[in-house]
Amino acid sequence: MATTLDKVDVVTVGAGWTGGIIAAEAAKAGLKVVSIERGRERGTEDYLRVHDEYRYAIRYELMQDLSKETVTFRNRRDQRALPMRTMGSFLLGEGLGGAGTHWNGHTWRFLPYDFEIKTMTEKKYGANKLGKEYQLQDWGITYDELEPYFDKFEYTAGISGDDKNPFAGKRSNPYPTPPMKKTPILEKFEKATSDLGYTPFMLPSANLSEAYTNPDGQTINACMYCGFCERFGCEYGAKTSPEITVIPTAKETGNFEVRFHSNVVEILHEGGKATGVRYINWMSGEEFIQPAETVVLTSYVMNNAKLLMVSDIGEMYDPETGRGTLGKNYCYQILPGATGFFDEQFNTFMGAGSLGMSIDDFNGDNFDHSDLDFIHGGSMSLTQTGVRPIASNPVPPDTPAWGAEFKKASIENYTRTLNIGTQGASMPHRDNYLTLDPKYKDAYGVPLLQLTYNFTDQDRALHKFITEKAVEIMEKMGAKQTVGSNPITDYDIVPYQTTHNTGGTIMGADPETSVVNNYLQHWDMDNLFVIGAGNFPHNGGYNPTGTVGALAYRCAEGIIKYSKEGGSLV
């Protein structure tokens, strides 16, 4: 039998970036906040021996335990979905800080075009540019409306950047810290792209170029360029993450508590209101009910959608009829690019997760799509993230996959290979969605989330176009051999791609087409909020974290307002 605990003002499900932002802002406003976190407590002192590639990058020390909960996957509705039993295409975070602990730190603002993509695309290219199977919709908020919240997140995180992207939305303030070091590798990319008529700029980074104290009084240290960012915590406290920023801010108020090793299995509700959450401490096996005035889902994309589904909140999306919104518009990203093999050697083993230069000339609608069979594009970057030896064996495509010749080529090319990568935008398609699996359950007896996803004609056309541009840049950089990304066919969940999953709990201006409003308040339950990249009606050409952070600050403002006035915020 579940133990019912004392009621609090706000309960969050998860203690990563979004949970931390909500906790910090609500606690500062005097609200009592509890975060339910399925993983353990951790901080910089836990990462002192973090430079262990096998433990963290190969065996996923910081990631979700898939033996307890995973997702099932299929490409098409007529296939049987099977469980993802090992981490692959994306990496689900767990523990204090969530995925914000093991991220690389790329911190972008989605383009103004992204927020009004349906309106702007139809105005310029007509209503039938992609076809009726693609479910484009505006976000219910504009870039200008969200800009103050972008600014707040960046100043909390101390983001390093150079303000030289001519395609970016207008900013109210410059980046709080200068850009990272412009290395010889980045200068090579800068010259090549400039000579081709493009406009390179330093990638906006949460690996800070200098020590910084944010408006809440939390200090973030300067990056040491050790090359251990993605899949690792930062022992220097130089990669901005929730456990060194918003979580300490929340704790200092005295109004915040985190419950660890606790997995929420249900949102409780009655009479059109959320009443709290039910969770299980998986170490003791005890079950608890945490009542709350306001419930906020701040876990990852997959879990936010799953909790709404198993709690029977909202109308499930039906791909046959197009009705319903919960689970709709799942999107991912595509990764066109090029690899260059050089005669000269580079210092590739030093770096940082967000040390890079980018161009946006082929992102969003920054170029004319009139004669192209796709929309949008992607940010193109050359990043110097640190080449670690186990997973980094770059060899030309005609090299054997093992043996003496492979070893020789791997050693030869370890410091002679550069990559241009693109985060290609993903457009929502009728047949890409999330639902509950009818067969498989997690360790708590709750159905697993089922993912139905495949690449589309839009994806393949975009991938081909951008890959050709990346090859052109790499050749301009002087590579002796350039290899473009292989054309994409069906999506494969096995190899790592990105942890930039979006959709399923999308936002908008109309309850008929979205799950939450532009304060991320659930249309059917005004004291329930859902925050994360699941709110994106489509995916863009960037990492989602900066935009998620901005949405979280707007949501926090809404939660505080709701605590005083109640009712719908729009």
Side-chain angles (χ1 to χ4, degrees), residues 443-510:
Y444 309 97
V446 178
L448 294 183
L449 191 75
Q450 184 183 90
L451 165 61
T452 303
Y453 179 74
N454 209 354
F455 293 132
T456 65
D457 289 341
Q458 147 81 24
D459 295 329
R460 285 181 271 274
L462 193 160
H463 189 280
K464 180 177 184 296
F465 178 89
I466 299 291
T467 293
E468 290 169 356
K469 299 299 180 184
V471 167
E472 179 186 32
I473 295 169
M474 189 62 78
E475 289 174 344
K476 189 71 173 178
M477 290 174 64
K480 67 178 180 182
Q481 181 181 2
T482 299
V483 180
S485 298
N486 290 328
I488 54 173
T489 53
D490 288 337
Y491 166 70
D492 183 355
I493 202 169
V494 175
Y496 182 73
Q497 288 152 76
T498 75
T499 307
H500 303 160
N501 319 73
T502 65
T505 57
I506 59 177
M507 63 187 292
D510 183 353

Side-chain angles (χ1 to χ4, degrees), residues 294-314:
T294 302
V295 175
V296 192
L297 303 189
T298 58
S299 56
Y300 197 65
V301 171
M302 311 294 187
N303 197 55
N304 281 354
K306 175 182 172 178
L307 280 174
L308 292 174
M309 292 174 185
V310 299
S311 304
D312 196 23
I313 299 173

Side-chain angles (χ1 to χ4, degrees), residues 220-232:
I220 307 153
N221 294 320
C223 180
M224 304 294 286
Y225 298 90
C226 72
F228 284 79
C229 284
E230 184 182 14
R231 309 187 187 191
F232 302 85

Side-chain angles (χ1 to χ4, degrees), residues 36-95:
I36 313 298
E37 170 56 52
R38 72 169 71 180
R40 64 181 180 86
E41 187 171 14
R42 61 192 181 197
T44 53
E45 67 278 3
D46 296 293
Y47 309 138
L48 294 179
R49 292 175 293 278
V50 79
H51 291 191
D52 183 337
E53 183 184 2
Y54 186 75
R55 178 179 177 183
Y56 290 95
I58 307 300
R59 291 299 185 190
Y60 308 121
E61 173 80 10
L62 300 179
M63 312 308 174
Q64 182 175 307
D65 183 352
L66 298 188
S67 70
K68 291 188 175 70
E69 182 175 1
T70 184
V71 299
T72 67
F73 163 73
R74 59 188 181 178
N75 287 123
R76 295 179 296 277
R77 279 186 276 156
D78 61 358
Q79 294 177 325
R80 177 185 175 189
L82 296 172
M84 179 179 75
R85 298 192 183 276
T86 60
M87 290 287 180
S89 181
F90 42 85
L91 304 177
L92 304 171
E94 183 173 278

